[in-house]
Amino acid sequence: MRRDRLSRRTVLALTGACSFATVGVGQLAGETGDDEQPDEDDGVSRDTFVIREGTDQATTVYVTTAEADGPTVVVLGGIHGNEVAGYVAAGEIADWTIDAGTLVTIPEANAVAIERGTRTDDDGIDLNRQFPESSEPRTDLASAIWDVLSEFDADVVVDLHESIGIYAGDPIDGVGQAIFHSDGDAVAETADSAGTYATKHYVDDMDLAFKTGSFSGPTTEPSGLLVHKAARDLGADSYLVETLSRSPDLETRVQWHLAITERLLADDVFVDDPENGDVPEQPVDDDPGEEVPDDDDDPVETDPGDDDDGETGVSPSAEIRTDPPNADELSLESGQTVTLDATCSTVTDGEIVSYDWQLNGDETVDETGDTIDVTIGANGDHSILLRVTDEEGATDTAQITLSAE
């Protein structure tokens, strides 16, 4: 049964959500320790173990198991270290009480990036590009995270992120305030319900209303996203949640993540709710009338990279290749020149008539042309956005982040 509001515990604990307990139980995923005991207060069993133990990537996995049978849900935060609300919310979710099934939570998936406060780790690697479909993950950390999902045989996966801009039908400004989902009518309906519900109950400004869209196809960049692999290799119902990282305060953004996640999981691990808040006597009205913009005419386009992991390619489809190859996964040197090639961008009908490049993290077009050279002028992360336009005026964007040290 879906709930009418966030649990009392969830709301009241927000002020302390920025600190997590450090627990280290070197236990294999899926195994239960002999000393694991149900929590006397909530009737669930709780366990923890550490992945990448003994390295700077070490992070804790939290496992909550209810007495009643049900699906296994995996919730992650902190894949990108500069998307704070996602990993703070995941830390709260690790303490949730469930009524059925198993809840596995990895609050700080990318501990190094979180420590740095950046999207990438010390080597400039974007963790959310390291999960290729139908093949092994590309890094040790990605492999460890994937092992958790595989060993627990995740039925549902929720990955919490943030974006520097709002998704509004064209991801050039960002993909925030959106829920992206795997294929299937039921999955789409659940995402739509969660977005509508969060907007109706927790969003005051309708410019920040949540929208939804399906994942991009296997051949559409960006590739290597965890939720894509979970959906296509494990068959899990998968969701990528994006909130706006600018302007709203952290507590508000965390609340959005919590509200959406509870709503996404309500029919899976919350059968009844005597402790987590009041169950509505009547079904929640999922139709806020004219308050929530209709996004039927706003197909979700290709992800803008640093604004995170947006979905569903449309015509045209923007793509960036680099020389040296995969420059966005390398640690570059200040002063190094990288060639950016957009000739791999495609269009279903007609042709692409313009290639516009934004190099300074704002809306100004700095270069045009299907191929350009950029020179890294300073250490740090440098976001580059490509916008392509076809003969009909349709656009698509792609974005990469080049990192120099």
Side-chain angles (χ1 to χ4, degrees), residues 53-392:
E53 190 168 14
T55 74
D56 59 357
Q57 298 174 339
T59 195
T60 301
V61 180
Y62 299 80
V63 183
T64 301
T65 306
E67 294 181 357
D69 291 338
T72 296
V73 174
V74 177
V75 178
L76 305 97
I79 279 185
H80 294 138
N82 58 348
E83 297 172 6
V84 181
Y87 64 77
V88 171
E92 273 296 297
I93 292 166
D95 192 43
W96 276 1
T97 296
I98 59 176
D99 300 314
T102 301
L103 173 63
V104 180
T105 313
I106 311 177
E108 298 187 349
N110 194 343
V112 173
I114 289 174
E115 178 69 22
R116 298 175 77 233
T118 59
R119 179 182 177 85
T120 61
D121 64 14
D122 287 334
D123 297 318
I125 294 174
D126 184 337
L127 178 58
N128 210 27
R129 300 294 183 271
Q130 309 309 313
F131 299 93
E133 298 167 33
S134 302
S135 59
E136 294 299 316
R138 297 189 177 106
T139 68
D140 291 338
L141 177 57
S143 294
I145 291 171
W146 184 248
D147 285 346
V148 174
L149 273 66
S150 299
E151 291 292 335
F152 279 95
D153 194 17
D155 298 296
V156 181
V157 176
V158 181
D159 192 8
L160 305 180
H161 286 260
E162 294 202 273
S163 170
I164 61 174
I166 300 173
Y167 172 70
D170 183 341
I172 187 171
D173 292 322
V175 290
Q177 303 304 99
I179 306 169
F180 304 108
H181 57 81
S182 53
D183 293 338
D185 291 343
V187 180
E189 289 173 5
T190 299
D192 289 342
S193 175
T196 300
Y197 171 83
T199 297
K200 181 177 181 180
H201 293 285
Y202 296 99
V203 177
D204 296 327
D205 182 354
M206 286 303 103
D207 288 338
L208 302 179
F210 282 92
K211 293 192 175 184
T212 62
S214 59
F215 289 164
S216 56
T219 60
T220 302
E221 292 296 329
S223 61
L225 277 64
L226 174 62
V227 287
H228 289 184
K229 186 174 180 66
R232 292 160 186 158
D233 289 4
L234 292 181
D237 293 346
S238 301
Y239 305 91
L240 188 149
V241 182
E242 297 273 2
T243 57
L244 178 66
S245 62
R246 293 180 175 177
S247 297
D249 59 56
L250 177 60
E251 182 174 338
T252 297
R253 288 146 45 205
V254 170
Q255 186 182 63
W256 288 338
H257 274 297
L258 296 173
I260 288 171
T261 304
E262 273 200 320
R263 190 70 173 182
L264 291 175
L265 305 184
D267 286 342
D268 294 313
V269 297
F270 297 120
V271 178
D272 198 0
D273 196 18
E275 297 181 8
N276 282 0
D278 298 327
V279 177
E281 294 182 2
Q282 300 295 330
V284 174
D285 178 9
D286 283 343
D287 181 11
E290 297 180 356
E291 290 183 340
V292 181
D294 185 354
D295 62 355
D296 290 345
D297 296 325
D298 294 315
V300 182
E301 302 184 7
T302 305
D303 169 46
D306 194 42
D307 279 340
D308 207 47
D309 305 306
E311 308 301 340
T312 306
V314 297
S315 178
S317 177
E319 184 175 350
I320 303 171
R321 294 180 182 171
T322 67
D323 184 14
N326 301 316
D328 54 332
E329 299 179 7
L330 303 176
S331 181
L332 305 171
E333 297 180 359
S334 179
Q336 183 173 350
T337 297
V338 177
T339 298
L340 304 179
D341 184 359
T343 59
C344 45
S345 301
T346 59
V347 62
T348 302
D349 296 307
E351 62 181 22
I352 296 174
V353 297
S354 68
Y355 300 81
D356 298 323
W357 301 84
Q358 298 175 13
L359 307 180
N360 297 311
D362 55 27
E363 298 183 12
T364 302
V365 175
D366 301 291
E367 297 278 354
T368 60
D370 56 14
T371 303
I372 66 171
D373 291 330
V374 297
T375 300
I376 306 301
N379 293 337
D381 293 340
H382 303 273
S383 178
I384 297 172
L385 185 142
L386 163 70
R387 181 173 186 168
V388 298
T389 305
D390 68 13
E391 294 172 310
E392 301 299 324

